[in-house]
């Protein structure tokens, strides 16, 4: 880091105490363990590793930073908005005299993403300069803030429902909640909202909600578009494991592309902290008898297998207690396979599942609840699972067919006549660790139905899976009712790009593995799919994807329990404090427009957009209405995308938010906005009206 470089607290993802990064482990001695700490940044920015002069100083830094970050995260959107506003104002105050001249005010307006003509700026200035001093200070600046952040649309809504002497009584608020927000709540609930969010003590005592309290309520989770009832774990977690969509990563070790990018334990930590529940380990023979992980036959860097297992052990269950699947891509010699097995058992200890649960051979998967805090190994196995009960003897080493993904990559390098089924030697020690996720080759659905045990699972490259999902969807869905399926990106995606996961979820596939390091629409959809249910990495599939009697076909929607047609009315009302796209250009103001996109079964896919608004990212208003028809709401995702319109080239992303249709709240709602990497933009948001009605 350059000397005197300033770091924004908003750019910090987390703080770690001790030697918990690759850099500190590689370049420092264990004797300084208790003096080390690291600042982890969002996105691809490198970690900042630090060594304090004492253990006490390191702990003060860590606890201090954590307290400040916790305080920032607990701020509501309105408080973030005020913090951002006054921070921009301080930057505009060039001579730091805590006063604002007309020239500084004009600079400030450009900084907060709003372009106004000189006459409007002068009018605002004169209106606030009640002391006629030629500068704004103290209460005059607060008056200027109130004028600038005035929300006309909130005035209109509040005025419509505040029927008790111009104020909103608890009864008025209840009427608003029941009739506009479509919430089944009581008068007691309305009174609790007043107690929680009203800032005026007199109004609070009289059980009234002022306009300020009403805006604060709308900016909190009760006023968010995302249903707060879906924030904790609310689904049945005792269903068999294959009845869930499972958040899954491909080539988890890579930080960038598939050819020459770095491999890192940090990539595993980032994925696990996003509640990814299936990570991939591409294992090869390494120097000094130690297996390594990297993308074979490429220039990607290598990381020790044991270091990855240590990182996984440390971070697997920090954000979710539900099981983590380690998907092994095994290219190692039998000697180093035995070392792998040793590291897995010695590092993961009792958390590693080495026997099926129960005292007899199971015929179905246990549920995520039964497997809490456990690691499952996915890989090749020498014998049937019942051998784990019968103690059937097997050879210490035997041959098995290569993993489908490894075979596909090899085939791509071979001439057609050279292609053949490759066999690899498998050590019994590693084989015995594979319990519920035995890798097998997929031939066809009929063969799988008759010959494949529930714990035997196939991996499909994206093109094959997409073809099956499109042409044999019902059979694929039934296959996934009692077996697991893993999908992985094509080997040709050397840039670590991603495929659209939605058609695979429509076909009931559970482990739809994506390149977590690559931001984009596909990862937005993945983040949205796993947003509810405590962000635990497991989402219960709809019943029509679990019921053996179901004949659901995403492309041919016959009458069935999946058909719950809804008419979705969306009104894009306004946006607040959108970030500037080009911070380096002082006069660069965004021209925002909003797209609303629907993803799901083919009949539900749609996209509509507003007009753009010139030179106003601070408080643009559209009041544009859209209507969509949703046929299968349980598989639908709704995506809001705010872009900076450009007539000459492609539009730049300002912010976005995606969520499941079934997790949306009706009524007047604020929509938070995220960066392309999925981080919250603290002060920015959309204000919308949502109404989903039975069609």
């Amino acid at each position: 880091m350059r000397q005197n470089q300033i770091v924004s607290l908003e750019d910090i993802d987390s703080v770690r105490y001790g030697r918990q990064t690759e850099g500190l482990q590689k370049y420092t001695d264990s004797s300084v363990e208790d003096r080390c700490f690291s600042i982890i940044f969002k996105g691809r920015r490198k970690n900042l590793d630090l060594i304090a002069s004492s253990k006490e100083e390191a702990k003060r830094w860590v606890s201090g930073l954590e307290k400040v970050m916790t305080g920032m995260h607990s701020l509501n959107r309105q408080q973030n908005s005020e913090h951002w506003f006054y921070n921009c104002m301080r930057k505009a105050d060039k001579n730091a005299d805590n006063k604002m001249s007309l020239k500084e005010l004009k600079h400030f307006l450009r900084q907060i993403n709003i372009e106004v003509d000189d006459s409007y700026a002068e009018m605002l200035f004169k209106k606030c300069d009640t002391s006629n001093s030629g500068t704004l200070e103290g209460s005059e600046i607060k008056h200027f803030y109130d004028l600038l952040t005035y929300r006309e649309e909130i005035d209109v809504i509040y005025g419509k429902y505040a029927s008790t002497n111009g104020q909103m009584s608890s009864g008025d608020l209840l009427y608003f909640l029941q009739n506009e927000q479509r919430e089944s709540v009581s008068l007691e609930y309305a009174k609790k909202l007043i107690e929680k969010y009203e800032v005026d003590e007199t109004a609070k005592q009289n059980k009234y909600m002022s306009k300020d309290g009403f805006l604060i309520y709308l900016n909190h989770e009760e006023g968010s578009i995302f249903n707060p009832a879906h924030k904790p774990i609310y689904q049945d977690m005792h269903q068999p494991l294959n009845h869930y969509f499972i958040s899954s990563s491909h080539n988890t070790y890579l930080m960038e592309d598939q050819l020459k990018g770095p491999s890192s334990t940090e990539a595993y930590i980032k994925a696990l902290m996003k509640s990814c529940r299936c990570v991939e380990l591409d294992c090869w023979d390494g120097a000094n008898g130690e297996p390594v992980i990297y993308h074979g036959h490429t220039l990607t860097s290598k990381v020790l297998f044991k270091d990855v297992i240590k990182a996984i052990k440390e971070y697997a269950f920090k954000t979710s207690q539900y099981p983590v699947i380690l998907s092994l891509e095994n290219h190692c010699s039998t000697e180093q396979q035995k070392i792998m097995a040793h590291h897995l058992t010695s590092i993961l200890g009792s958390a590693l599942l080495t026997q099926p649960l129960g005292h007899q051979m199971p015929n179905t998967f246990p549920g995520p609840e039964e497997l809490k805090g456990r690691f499952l190994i996915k890989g090749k196995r020498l014998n049937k699972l019942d051998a784990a009960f019968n103690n059937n003897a097997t050879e210490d080493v035997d041959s098995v067919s290569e993993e489908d993904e490894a075979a596909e990559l090899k085939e791509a390098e071979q001439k057609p006549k050279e292609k053949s089924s490759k066999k690899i030697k498998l050590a019994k020690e590693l084989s015995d660790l594979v319990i519920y996720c035995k890798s097998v080759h997929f031939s066809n659905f009929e063969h799988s139905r008759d010959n494949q045990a529930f714990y035997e699972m196939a991996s499909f490259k994206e093109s094959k899976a997409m073809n099956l999902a499109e042409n044999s969807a019902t059979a694929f869905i039934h296959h996934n009712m009692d077996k697991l399926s893993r999908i992985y990106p094509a080997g040709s995606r050397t840039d670590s790009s991603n495929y659209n996961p939605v058609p695979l979820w429509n076909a009931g596939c559970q482990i739809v593995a994506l390149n977590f390091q690559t931001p984009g629409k596909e990862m937005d959809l993945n983040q949205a799919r796993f947003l509810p249910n405590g962000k635990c990495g497991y989402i219960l599939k709809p019943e029509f994807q679990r019921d053996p009697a179901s004949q659901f076909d995403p492309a041919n929607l016959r009458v069935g329990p999946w058909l719950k047609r809804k008419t979705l009315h969306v009104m894009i009302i306004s946006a607040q404090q959108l970030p500037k796209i080009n911070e380096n250009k002082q006069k660069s103001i965004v021209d925002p427009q909003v797209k609303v996109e629907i993803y799901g079964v083919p009949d539900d896919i749609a996209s509509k957009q507003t007009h753009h608004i010139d030179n106003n990212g601070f408080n643009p208003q559209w009041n544009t209405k859209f209507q969509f028809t949703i046929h299968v709401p349980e598989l639908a995702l709704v995506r809001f995308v705010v872009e900076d319109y450009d007539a000459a080239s492609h539009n730049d992303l300002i912010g976005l938010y995606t969520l499941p249709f079934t997790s949306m709240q009706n009524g007047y709602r604020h929509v938070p906005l995220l960066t392309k990497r999925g981080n919250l933009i603290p002060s920015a948001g959309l204000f919308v009206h949502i109404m989903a009605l039975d069609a």
Side-chain angles (χ1 to χ4, degrees):
M1 180 171 285
R2 294 189 302 275
Q3 196 173 7
N4 300 326
Q5 186 174 343
I6 295 171
V7 173
S8 169
L9 287 168
E10 290 176 359
D11 293 335
I12 297 176
D13 182 67
S14 60
V15 187
R16 295 184 200 154
Y17 177 65
R19 296 163 64 244
Q20 291 200 54
T21 62
E22 285 181 344
L24 285 172
Q25 287 172 5
K26 188 174 181 180
Y27 297 111
T28 64
D29 188 77
S30 59
S31 61
V32 296
E33 176 81 37
D34 58 5
R35 290 167 46 204
C36 295
F37 66 100
S38 301
I39 296 173
I40 313 302
F41 295 100
K42 296 171 183 174
R44 289 187 177 175
R45 189 171 176 177
K46 289 184 179 178
N47 303 335
L48 178 59
D49 294 326
L50 299 162
I51 304 176
S53 58
S54 67
K55 172 184 175 180
E56 292 70 30
E57 185 186 21
K59 287 194 168 181
R60 279 199 301 272
W61 268 101
V62 172
S63 63
L65 281 169
E66 284 177 341
K67 278 179 186 172
V68 172
M69 288 168 64
T70 301
M72 284 177 61
H73 293 154
S74 66
L75 292 176
N76 66 60
R77 210 178 117 224
Q78 192 170 9
Q79 289 169 320
N80 268 319
S81 171
E82 290 184 23
H83 169 76
W84 172 82
F85 184 93
Y86 284 107
N87 192 40
C88 289
M89 193 171 276
R90 278 193 295 273
K91 288 179 184 175
D93 182 11
K94 294 294 186 185
N95 56 3
D97 61 356
N98 293 322
K99 299 176 182 179
M100 186 168 282
S101 66
L102 177 59
K103 183 180 178 182
E104 287 173 332
L105 180 135
K106 289 176 183 176
H107 174 70
F108 168 74
L109 290 172
R110 281 196 299 272
Q111 219 176 6
I112 63 169
N113 217 355
I114 184 169
E115 185 71 59
V116 298
D117 59 34
D118 287 350
S119 60
Y120 179 73
E122 287 170 22
M123 181 273 289
L124 263 183
F125 189 85
K126 285 177 181 175
K127 198 168 186 177
C128 299
D129 184 18
T130 51
S131 62
N132 294 316
S133 63
T135 59
L136 304 184
E137 53 188 298
S139 61
E140 294 172 338
I141 290 177
K142 175 69 170 76
H143 185 205
F144 170 63
Y145 171 79
D146 291 340
L147 275 179
L148 206 58
T149 56
Y150 169 67
R151 299 272 302 274
E152 181 187 6
E153 69 274 33
I154 302 298
D155 260 17
V156 171
I157 300 163
Y158 184 84
K160 180 180 176 182
Y161 288 95
S163 305
T164 311
N165 300 320
Q167 284 198 302
M168 188 179 277
S169 67
S170 54
D172 295 337
L173 178 58
L174 178 64
Y175 185 78
F176 169 77
L177 293 170
Q178 291 178 338
N179 291 274
E180 196 67 70
Q181 308 294 74
R182 300 296 177 102
E183 295 179 27
S184 300
V185 292
S186 64
L187 183 62
E188 278 308 304
Y189 176 79
K191 288 178 179 176
K192 281 181 181 175
L193 285 182
I194 292 171
E195 184 64 32
K196 190 174 180 181
Y197 296 124
E198 182 50 57
V199 288
D200 184 286
E201 284 302 320
T202 305
K204 188 185 285 189
Q205 286 171 12
N206 294 326
K207 300 293 183 282
Y208 280 37
M209 183 174 266
S210 67
K211 199 188 303 173
D212 286 342
F214 185 63
L215 181 56
I216 292 170
Y217 145 71
L218 285 173
N219 274 313
H220 270 79
E221 69 174 12
E222 292 93 340
S224 169
I225 192 169
F226 180 66
N227 185 351
H230 286 192
K231 192 175 180 182
I233 291 166
Y234 70 97
Q235 294 182 333
D236 176 7
M237 301 304 287
H238 295 274
Q239 296 281 324
L241 199 69
N242 62 305
H243 283 189
Y244 298 82
F245 297 124
I246 303 172
S247 181
S248 306
S249 160
H250 170 253
N251 284 1
T252 314
Y253 48 90
L254 292 177
M255 298 286 282
E256 296 172 14
D257 64 62
Q258 310 275 316
L259 294 178
K260 58 184 187 319
S263 303
S264 172
T265 57
E266 201 62 47
Y268 285 93
I269 294 170
K270 285 183 185 252
L272 292 166
M273 293 300 283
K274 289 179 180 175
S275 295
C276 175
R277 298 292 88 186
C278 179
V279 295
E280 186 175 13
L281 297 88
D282 212 340
C283 310
W284 298 79
D285 280 358
N288 305 315
E290 283 292 346
V292 294
I293 292 175
Y294 83 113
H295 200 206
H297 309 300
T298 69
L299 299 175
T300 57
S301 64
K302 299 172 183 177
V303 59
L304 287 175
F305 178 83
K306 66 179 179 182
D307 287 346
V308 168
I309 301 304
K310 286 175 185 174
I312 290 172
K313 164 77 169 173
E314 180 71 24
Y315 288 93
F317 304 113
K318 286 192 181 292
T319 58
S320 169
Q321 285 297 304
Y322 290 107
V324 171
I325 300 169
L326 307 186
S327 180
L328 300 185
E329 196 76 55
N330 175 18
H331 308 272
C332 290
S333 63
T334 52
E335 289 76 14
Q336 294 211 7
Q337 287 177 38
K338 291 173 184 178
I339 300 294
M340 286 169 60
H342 170 72
H343 289 324
L344 287 166
T345 52
S346 63
I347 295 168
L348 301 181
S350 60
L352 178 64
L353 196 74
T354 57
Q355 287 276 334
L357 299 184
H359 302 291
Q360 58 188 29
M361 179 61 197
N363 56 15
T364 188
F365 290 98
E369 193 67 32
E370 289 73 42
L371 291 166
K372 258 186 173 179
R374 305 302 294 270
F375 293 99
L376 280 65
I377 304 299
K378 174 200 165 290
K380 292 290 182 179
R381 185 180 170 95
L382 292 171
N383 52 17
K384 293 283 186 181
L385 186 57
D386 55 9
F389 285 98
N390 302 332
N391 293 318
N392 289 353
T394 57
E395 297 291 329
D396 285 349
V397 173
D398 206 346
S399 295
V400 292
S401 61
E402 197 168 36
E403 291 280 356
D404 285 355
E405 187 171 353
E408 182 216 343
L409 290 171
K410 272 211 179 103
E411 278 186 11
E413 298 167 1
Q414 292 172 340
K415 296 172 185 175
K417 65 179 182 181
E418 293 176 339
K419 293 182 183 179
S420 61
S421 177
K422 173 86 168 99
K423 294 279 187 179
I424 62 164
K425 296 282 188 182
L426 182 60
K428 181 179 184 296
E429 291 88 341
L430 191 60
S431 165
D432 286 351
L433 300 181
V434 175
I435 304 301
Y436 289 116
C437 301
K438 177 184 176 181
S439 299
V440 297
H441 180 71
F442 175 82
S443 299
N444 56 63
F445 291 125
E446 187 177 340
H447 179 272
S448 296
R449 185 189 66 224
D450 297 337
N451 299 284
Q452 194 175 324
F454 77 90
Y455 58 83
E456 294 180 318
M457 61 176 290
S459 290
F460 302 82
K461 63 180 175 182
E462 66 173 272
S463 57
K464 185 170 187 175
M466 289 289 188
N467 183 47
L468 291 172
E470 189 176 327
N471 299 310
S472 309
T474 305
F476 209 174
I477 290 164
H478 277 261
H479 173 85
N480 291 321
M481 284 181 187
D482 55 13
K483 298 175 185 70
L484 285 167
S485 290
R486 175 179 173 269
I487 319 301
Y488 58 90
S492 57
R493 293 185 181 273
T494 54
D495 59 351
S496 294
S497 60
N498 281 310
Y499 56 92
N500 179 6
V502 174
L504 288 318
W505 290 327
N506 290 346
C509 298
Q510 304 89 348
I511 301 178
V512 182
L514 298 179
N515 291 307
F516 265 53
Q517 73 273 32
T518 308
K521 179 179 70 178
E522 297 80 12
M523 275 305 295
D524 299 340
L525 296 170
N526 194 74
Q527 189 167 350
R529 172 60 70 213
F530 296 98
L531 178 64
N533 206 35
K535 291 186 182 177
C536 74
Y538 285 85
I539 293 290
L540 186 63
K541 294 196 283 186
E543 190 174 355
F544 55 79
Q545 290 187 325
R546 296 181 277 127
D547 179 7
S550 172
Q551 289 301 306
F552 173 62
D553 182 345
N556 185 13
L557 299 175
R558 298 184 294 272
V559 175
W562 50 85
L563 205 60
K564 300 172 184 173
R565 195 178 284 110
K566 302 276 185 184
T567 301
L568 173 63
H569 299 272
V570 179
M571 184 179 184
I572 305 295
I573 301 171
S574 60
Q576 295 76 46
Q577 298 178 15
L578 301 176
K580 291 181 75 166
I581 298 301
N582 194 336
E583 288 283 355
N584 298 323
K585 289 187 180 177
Q586 290 293 329
K587 295 188 177 180
S588 172
I589 310 294
V590 300
D591 306 322
Q593 68 176 32
V594 182
K595 280 198 294 190
V596 181
E597 301 169 344
I598 311 292
Y599 294 86
V601 299
D603 282 0
D604 289 347
I605 297 170
S607 177
K608 296 181 180 182
Q609 67 183 42
T610 66
H611 58 284
H612 73 273
I613 292 176
D614 289 326
N615 295 327
N616 186 355
F618 185 73
N619 55 2
Q621 287 202 24
W622 292 274
N623 295 311
T624 302
K625 295 178 181 178
F626 300 131
Q627 182 175 318
F628 303 92
T629 300
I630 311 292
H631 299 84
V632 186
E634 289 173 276
L635 290 174
L637 299 167
V638 183
R639 188 170 186 248
F640 297 86
V641 184
V642 187
E643 295 179 325
D644 181 14
Y645 172 79
D646 193 324
S649 63
H650 75 280
N651 297 340
D652 289 322
L653 175 71
I654 296 173
L656 55 89
Y657 188 74
T658 316
L659 77 166
F661 175 87
T662 51
S663 294
M664 278 202 311
Q665 295 203 96
N666 282 317
Y668 288 104
R669 302 292 174 184
H670 276 108
V671 181
L673 290 177
L674 310 177
T675 66
K676 69 177 182 178
R677 290 195 172 274
N679 298 316
L680 183 70
I681 305 170
S683 57
L686 288 174
F687 188 52
V688 301
H689 187 268
I690 302 291
M691 195 55 63
L693 304 169
D694 292 335

